[in-house]
Amino acid sequence: MNNKKRSLFKNLEALTSILLIFLTLLALIINNSSYEIFYDNFFFNTYIVEDFNVHSFVNDFLMSIFFLLAGLEIKEEVLYGSLSSFKKASFPIIASLGGVIMPAIIYTYFNLDSKYMIGVCIPISTDIAFSLGIYFLFSKYLQPSLKMFLLSLAVVDDLISMILIGTVYSSSLNLFYLSLALLILTFLYISNKFYKIESITFYLMMGLLLWYFVHLSGIHSTLSGILLAFVIPTKPYKKRFSPSYYIQRNFRSINNLIIMPLFAFANTGINISSNLNLTNFPSVFLGIYLGLLVGKPLGIMIFTFLSNLLKITKKPSDLNWTSIFLSSIVCSIGFTMSIFISEIAFANSEELMAVARICILLTSFTSMIISSLFIKTFKELHII
């Protein structure tokens, strides 16, 4: 990647983080003003087709594009990048496992044997956009290798979250539509593997069919994005670049500047002045807040330190423990994926969804502030 492309990517990630914050605040302002009715009417009372409103379009369809791009990124990292060998992948994978397991344990501690256990996956995720946004905002003070560690950790985190979304949060299966989805998937695999089809239009049109059948099958429709990513070529056959490259290049700006900010705007509209009472759900609030803010850093540090001590894996020589600790703080920003999972987990309770979203917002903003303060402090001490 040349310097110009690096600069554009850096600016895009930073801009995405700014847009996410701005539209989150805007949604909160609108929903605590006289304009709340317009927000609700647009997202929840405007239907594209029967039983499929604008909010569903954002969460179920547009977010499938988000997962497609995330899936392609994960696939390329596994095949050619930082996750392509055990030696390269072991340290960030173990870090990610710690960052998933410890928040789940903390949430379970507060919510075991309660009806709120369905939210256990909310605090396990890392927001790639915000995490890299923090990195790029302070990149001149940070080691370049920290970005790859942070990206690898977040990618594995997202992969785990995607698997859980497709299993834990899927409704009863419709085997007929599931069979049609698998048939489409098999056809796409054969088209890639044996016929070496490189048409972007072909994969995207078949991807629409795949999304439709997955949506009707009872599995959460966003999983179609991941499934589609698995069967899209990542190496060119005849063209200069692969279909994966073209899709990522053409959709990255749309995803970062439209889809993710729109998702934030559509899902953080909380009326704080209503009858919402956080004390009604203290276990949910504490489970998510402490799971993300404490569980993430604690899990990452414990798992990486012990695995390095026991020689299960080895810490990269160009990263010191201060940098890894800083990464663990940044990873407690769950935002996009955490909000997405809370929408699914607590779909039957508006009040629970609102509590979860407020908690995620508070945690994300707290993490960003702590990360910024730590970077400033460590920079002055010359230990990063």
Side-chain angles (χ1 to χ4, degrees):
M1 188 183 289
N2 58 39
N3 290 333
K4 185 177 179 181
K5 286 182 179 178
R6 283 195 190 97
S7 178
L8 285 172
F9 182 69
K10 173 181 174 179
N11 292 335
L12 181 62
E13 293 295 335
L15 181 58
T16 301
S17 298
I18 293 168
L19 276 173
L20 285 171
I21 295 171
F22 172 74
L23 286 176
T24 295
L25 293 174
L26 182 61
L28 288 170
I29 292 169
I30 290 174
N31 276 270
N32 289 276
S33 72
S34 58
Y35 296 102
E36 179 187 9
I37 189 170
F38 297 107
Y39 180 96
D40 287 341
N41 282 336
F42 178 73
F43 283 111
F44 299 102
N45 298 325
T46 304
Y47 287 86
I48 298 169
V49 293
E50 188 179 358
D51 296 327
F52 199 76
N53 57 22
V54 173
H55 188 264
S56 299
F57 176 74
V58 173
N59 281 26
D60 294 351
F61 182 76
L62 291 184
M63 284 301 286
S64 296
I65 299 173
F66 167 85
F67 281 101
L68 168 61
L69 297 178
L72 290 173
E73 186 173 20
I74 291 169
K75 184 179 178 181
E76 293 194 355
E77 289 296 327
V78 169
L79 293 176
Y80 319 113
S82 59
L83 304 176
S84 60
S85 68
F86 180 78
K87 184 177 179 181
K88 290 181 179 180
S90 58
F91 195 75
I93 285 177
I94 286 176
S96 180
L97 288 174
V100 166
I101 292 170
M102 192 60 69
I105 289 173
I106 289 175
Y107 186 92
T108 301
Y109 172 78
F110 287 104
N111 295 280
L112 186 63
D113 296 328
S114 77
K115 59 184 179 181
Y116 310 130
M117 266 304 294
I118 191 66
V120 69
C121 297
I122 295 171
I124 71 172
S125 303
T126 294
D127 191 292
I128 292 179
F130 267 126
S131 300
L132 289 183
I134 292 290
Y135 173 86
F136 285 125
L137 286 172
F138 296 98
S139 58
K140 63 181 179 180
Y141 307 123
L142 304 173
Q143 300 163 284
S145 54
L146 186 63
K147 178 202 162 193
M148 188 48 64
F149 172 68
L150 191 59
L151 179 61
S152 301
L153 198 162
V155 162
V156 176
D157 236 13
D158 271 8
L159 178 58
I160 295 171
S161 298
M162 292 168 193
I163 292 170
L164 291 172
I165 288 170
T167 53
V168 176
Y169 299 115
S170 291
S171 57
S172 57
L173 293 179
N174 184 310
L175 294 179
F176 174 71
Y177 288 113
L178 180 61
S179 299
L180 290 178
L182 292 175
L183 191 64
I184 294 290
L185 201 63
T186 304
F187 177 66
L188 286 169
Y189 175 79
I190 293 171
S191 300
N192 173 12
K193 191 74 174 177
F194 299 103
Y195 292 95
K196 304 187 186 309
I197 293 177
E198 294 184 280
S199 169
I200 306 300
T201 304
F202 169 76
Y203 285 106
L204 293 181
M205 293 304 293
M206 295 304 295
L208 281 174
L209 271 180
L210 179 65
W211 176 88
Y212 181 67
F213 291 138
V214 169
H215 178 70
L216 294 177
S217 72
I219 298 174
H220 199 275
S221 51
T222 51
L223 192 65
S224 63
I226 302 296
L227 296 175
L228 182 60
F230 290 157
V231 294
I232 289 176
T234 54
K235 277 190 173 181
Y237 295 122
K238 295 178 181 178
K239 296 181 179 180
R240 185 179 178 186
F241 297 106
S242 69
S244 175
Y245 169 83
Y246 284 116
I247 289 173
Q248 290 186 74
R249 188 189 70 176
N250 293 329
F251 281 91
R252 179 177 285 135
S253 296
I254 295 172
N255 178 62
N256 286 31
L257 301 180
I258 298 175
I259 294 175
M260 291 178 65
L262 183 58
F263 171 82
F265 185 63
N267 290 280
T268 52
I270 308 162
N271 190 330
I272 300 172
S273 62
S274 67
N275 294 323
L276 180 64
N277 188 348
L278 298 180
T279 60
N280 289 341
F281 308 100
S283 62
V284 174
F285 188 90
L286 288 172
I288 296 172
Y289 189 79
L290 296 179
L292 278 168
L293 202 58
V294 177
K296 271 283 178 188
L298 189 63
I300 290 169
M301 293 307 297
I302 289 175
F303 272 57
T304 52
F305 182 77
L306 289 179
S307 64
N308 186 71
L309 184 68
L310 299 172
K311 302 189 185 303
I312 297 171
T313 185
K314 187 177 180 181
K315 178 180 71 66
S317 57
D318 51 356
L319 283 179
N320 57 34
W321 286 108
T322 305
S323 296
I324 293 167
F325 176 66
L326 178 60
S327 296
S328 73
I329 298 293
V330 174
C331 284
S332 60
I333 304 172
F335 202 75
T336 307
M337 193 69 79
S338 293
I339 289 176
F340 184 78
I341 294 175
S342 71
E343 287 283 315
I344 305 170
F346 298 139
N348 296 323
S349 172
E350 286 289 335
E351 192 174 13
L352 266 175
M353 270 195 284
V355 168
R357 285 180 292 188
I358 287 176
C359 190
I360 293 163
L361 291 174
L362 286 174
T363 309
S364 297
F365 287 129
T366 304
S367 299
M368 283 186 274
I369 292 168
I370 292 175
S371 301
S372 303
L373 291 174
F374 268 70
I375 291 170
K376 181 175 172 55
T377 303
F378 291 161
K379 172 183 71 76
E380 292 174 351
L381 295 174
H382 305 288
I383 55 177
I384 54 174

